[in-house]
C-alpha cells in the first residue's frame, strides 16, 4: 500500500522555508524583517500556524490583513503578505499544495502610510553639531550615512576590503536588492574620515568591518547614537533611515541629476527615488511659491 503523503501545517512549512530558503538566500536584515512579520501574525492570529497548507483560504488571509490594518502601516502589511506569498509559492514547487491563497489578496486601503521624512536643513545643522559631542567613531558613522546615502544595513556590514581608496569608491557588496549592489563615490570628507579610522586598525584581518571591528556594527548601537545626537540637538526623534532620506533630499536641493542619485542610492527606478526619498521642507516650498511673486523683481 502506498504511504500517504505528509501533510504540513502553515507553521511547519514556515519553519522549513526559513531554514532552507530564506536564511541562505536573503540578507540578515531581510530575514529579520520576515521573522518579525511572522511574529505579528502569530501574536494576533495564533490559530493560523496550526492550519494545514491545503486548507487555508484567501478569505482567511484577507481577514488577517484587514485586521492588521487597524494598527499597522501598509508597508508592514505588505511584508506580511510577501512572506506568506513566497512561502506558498515554494510549497507549490514542492507539491505540498496546489493553490496559493495569498496571491489575489489586497493590502487594505484604510491602512496608514508609514512615511519617513528627511531632516530639514536647520535640523541637519543642529544634528551635525550635536554629533561632534559623541565619540569620534560614532560621529563618523552618522556623517558617513549623511554623506553617502547608503542603507543603515549596508553601513553596518561595510568592510575595509570594500573601500577602494585609489578609485575613490565604496563597494556595497551586501544589500537588500540586486540594484543595491553598487559602488558609491567617496567625497573627500568621507575619505578623510575613513583614513582616520584606518590608522587605528593594526590588523584588518582580525577587524575587517570598518565601523564594527571584529563583527558588523550592532544595529542597536547605530539606532542609539542617532537618538542620542537627536536628543542633544533637541530635535525630533531621529532614526538611521532618516539620514538616508536626508542625503537624498539635500542632493535634490543641490540640483543633483535624479538618475545618478537613484543609482547612488541603489534604486532600480528614478521615480521611486523621487516618490519615497525626497522630502521638501518649508523653505523649499516657500521658494517655489515665490516664483509667482513680483516683490523685489524688476519688470
Amino acid at each position: 500500500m502506498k504511504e500517504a503523503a505528509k501533510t504540513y501545517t502553515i507553521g511547519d512549512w514556515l519553519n522549513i522555508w526559513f531554514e532552507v530558503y530564506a536564511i541562505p538566500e536573503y540578507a540578515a536584515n531581510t530575514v529579520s524583517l520576515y521573522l518579525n512579520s511572522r511574529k505579528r501574525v502569530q501574536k494576533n492570529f495564533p490559530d493560523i500556524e496550526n492550519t494545514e497548507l491545503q486548507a487555508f483560504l484567501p478569505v482567511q488571509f484577507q481577514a488577517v490583513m484587514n485586521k492588521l490594518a487597524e494598527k499597522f502601516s501598509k508597508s508592514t502589511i505588505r511584508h506580511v503578505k510577501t512572506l506568506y506569498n513566497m512561502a506558498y509559492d515554494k510549497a507549490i514547487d514542492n507539491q505540498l499544495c496546489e493553490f496559493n491563497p495569498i496571491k489575489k489578496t489586497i493590502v487594505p486601503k484604510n491602512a496608514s502610510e508609514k512615511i519617513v521624512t528627511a531632516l530639514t536643513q536647520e535640523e541637519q545643522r543642529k544634528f551635525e553639531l550635536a554629533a561632534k559631542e559623541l565619540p569620534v567613531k560614532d560621529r563618523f558613522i552618522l556623517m558617513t550615512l549623511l554623506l553617502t546615502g547608503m542603507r543603515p544595513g549596508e553601513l553596518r556590514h561595510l568592510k575595509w576590503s570594500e573601500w577602494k581608496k585609489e578609485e575613490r569608491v565604496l563597494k556595497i557588496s551586501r544589500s537588500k536588492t540586486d540594484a543595491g549592489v553598487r559602488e558609491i563615490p567617496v567625497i573627500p570628507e568621507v575619505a578623510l574620515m575613513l583614513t582616520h579610522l584606518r590608522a587605528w586598525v593594526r590588523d584588518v584581518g582580525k577587524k575587517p568591518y570598518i565601523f564594527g571591528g571584529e563583527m558588523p556594527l550592532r544595529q542597536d548601537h547605530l539606532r542609539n547614537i542617532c537618538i542620542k545626537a537627536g536628543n542633544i540637538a533637541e530635535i525630533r526623534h531621529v532614526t538611521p533611515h532618516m539620514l538616508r532620506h536626508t542625503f537624498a533630499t539635500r542632493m535634490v536641493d543641490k540640483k543633483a541629476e535624479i538618475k545618478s542619485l537613484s543609482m547612488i542610492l541603489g534604486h532600480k527606478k528614478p521615480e521611486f527615488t523621487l516618490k519615497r526619498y525626497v522630502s521638501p521642507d518649508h523653505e523649499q516650498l516657500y521658494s517655489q511659491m515665490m516664483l509667482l511673486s513680483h516683490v523685489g523683481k524688476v519688470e
Side-chain angles (χ1 to χ4, degrees), residues 105 123 143 189 200 204 246 248 293:
T105 55
E123 285 175 330
M143 291 306 300
E189 290 86 341
W200 294 350
V204 172
T246 300
S293 176

Side-chain angles (χ1 to χ4, degrees), residues 151-205:
R151 296 178 176 91
E154 294 168 350
L155 177 135
R156 290 177 48 238
H157 290 88
L158 203 60
K159 293 183 176 181
W160 286 114
S161 59
E162 295 169 324
W163 178 31
K164 308 300 182 183
K165 187 174 181 179
E166 299 304 317
E167 300 170 36
R168 295 180 298 175
V169 297
L170 282 167
K171 181 172 176 58
I172 307 300
S173 55
R174 180 189 178 110
S175 186
K176 63 184 290 187
T177 66
D178 291 340
V181 177
R182 65 201 187 280
E183 291 185 344
I184 298 177
V186 173
I187 62 175
E189 290 86 341
V190 175
L192 189 61
M193 290 187 291
L194 293 175
T195 300
H196 190 91
L197 290 176
R198 181 63 183 83
W200 294 350
V201 183
R202 292 184 179 179
D203 190 342
V204 172

Side-chain angles (χ1 to χ4, degrees), residues 32-289:
S32 177
L33 184 150
Y34 289 139
L35 284 170
N36 287 335
S37 296
R38 182 184 185 183
K39 287 177 183 176
R40 287 191 178 94
V41 175
Q42 287 174 321
K43 181 178 178 180
N44 291 279
F45 307 93
D47 293 336
I48 282 181
E49 293 217 349
N50 296 322
T51 305
E52 290 187 3
L53 280 170
Q54 287 273 39
F56 199 46
L57 300 175
V59 66
Q60 292 174 282
F61 193 72
Q62 188 64 62
V64 167
M65 293 201 294
N66 292 349
K67 193 68 177 176
L68 290 175
E70 295 176 9
K71 56 181 177 179
F72 295 111
S73 68
K74 286 182 179 176
S75 62
T76 297
I77 297 169
R78 287 190 192 102
H79 293 148
V80 171
K81 178 177 178 179
T82 298
L83 163 63
Y84 282 83
N85 187 56
M86 291 192 300
Y88 258 95
D89 277 348
K90 288 299 182 184
I92 292 171
D93 289 346
N94 285 276
Q95 300 181 356
L96 301 178
C97 60
E98 299 175 355
F99 173 69
N100 183 343
I102 314 302
K103 280 257 191 266
K104 293 187 178 180
T105 55
I106 60 172
V107 176
K109 291 182 179 179
N110 66 311
S112 62
E113 289 283 4
K114 184 178 180 180
I115 301 174
V116 179
T117 57
L119 298 177
T120 65
Q121 293 185 40
E122 179 59 16
E123 285 175 330
Q124 183 175 351
R125 184 187 68 80
K126 291 179 178 179
F127 185 83
E128 290 183 12
L129 284 173
K132 292 181 178 180
E133 299 186 30
L134 303 180
V136 172
K137 181 180 281 190
D138 290 342
R139 172 159 58 94
F140 286 179
I141 289 169
L142 298 180
M143 291 306 300
T144 299
L145 285 176
L146 281 169
L147 294 173
T148 65
M150 69 177 72
R151 296 178 176 91
E154 294 168 350
L155 177 135
R156 290 177 48 238
H157 290 88
L158 203 60
K159 293 183 176 181
W160 286 114
S161 59
E162 295 169 324
W163 178 31
K164 308 300 182 183
K165 187 174 181 179
E166 299 304 317
E167 300 170 36
R168 295 180 298 175
V169 297
L170 282 167
K171 181 172 176 58
I172 307 300
S173 55
R174 180 189 178 110
S175 186
K176 63 184 290 187
T177 66
D178 291 340
V181 177
R182 65 201 187 280
E183 291 185 344
I184 298 177
V186 173
I187 62 175
E189 290 86 341
V190 175
L192 189 61
M193 290 187 291
L194 293 175
T195 300
H196 190 91
L197 290 176
R198 181 63 183 83
W200 294 350
V201 183
R202 292 184 179 179
D203 190 342
V204 172
K206 292 183 178 179
K207 295 185 177 181
Y209 294 95
I210 294 178
F211 297 107
E214 295 180 7
M215 302 291 290
L217 180 69
R218 296 197 325 274
Q219 188 171 2
D220 63 331
H221 182 84
L222 179 55
R223 184 170 55 246
N224 289 340
I225 62 175
C226 277
I227 293 171
K228 188 172 183 179
N231 289 341
I232 294 172
E234 297 184 342
I235 58 177
R236 58 196 164 107
H237 178 79
V238 180
T239 67
H241 204 62
M242 285 172 66
L243 303 187
R244 176 168 159 86
H245 282 252
T246 300
F247 165 84
T249 300
R250 292 295 92 79
M251 288 287 280
V252 171
D253 290 349
K254 295 180 181 296
K255 307 295 188 284
E257 193 270 315
I258 192 62
K259 186 174 180 180
S260 297
L261 174 58
S262 183
M263 292 175 67
I264 291 169
L265 290 169
H267 292 158
K268 289 183 179 179
K269 298 180 180 180
E271 52 266 34
F272 178 81
T273 301
L274 280 175
K275 181 180 179 181
R276 296 288 294 275
Y277 277 78
V278 178
S279 307
D281 61 21
H282 172 76
E283 289 302 318
Q284 289 172 273
L285 296 177
Y286 181 76
S287 68
Q288 294 302 298
M289 289 297 290

Side-chain angles (χ1 to χ4, degrees), residues 10-30:
I10 291 175
D12 291 336
W13 179 244
L14 282 175
N15 290 338
I16 295 170
W17 181 82
F18 272 103
E19 181 180 351
V20 177
Y21 295 107
I23 293 174
E25 175 69 17
Y26 302 120
N29 282 356
T30 303

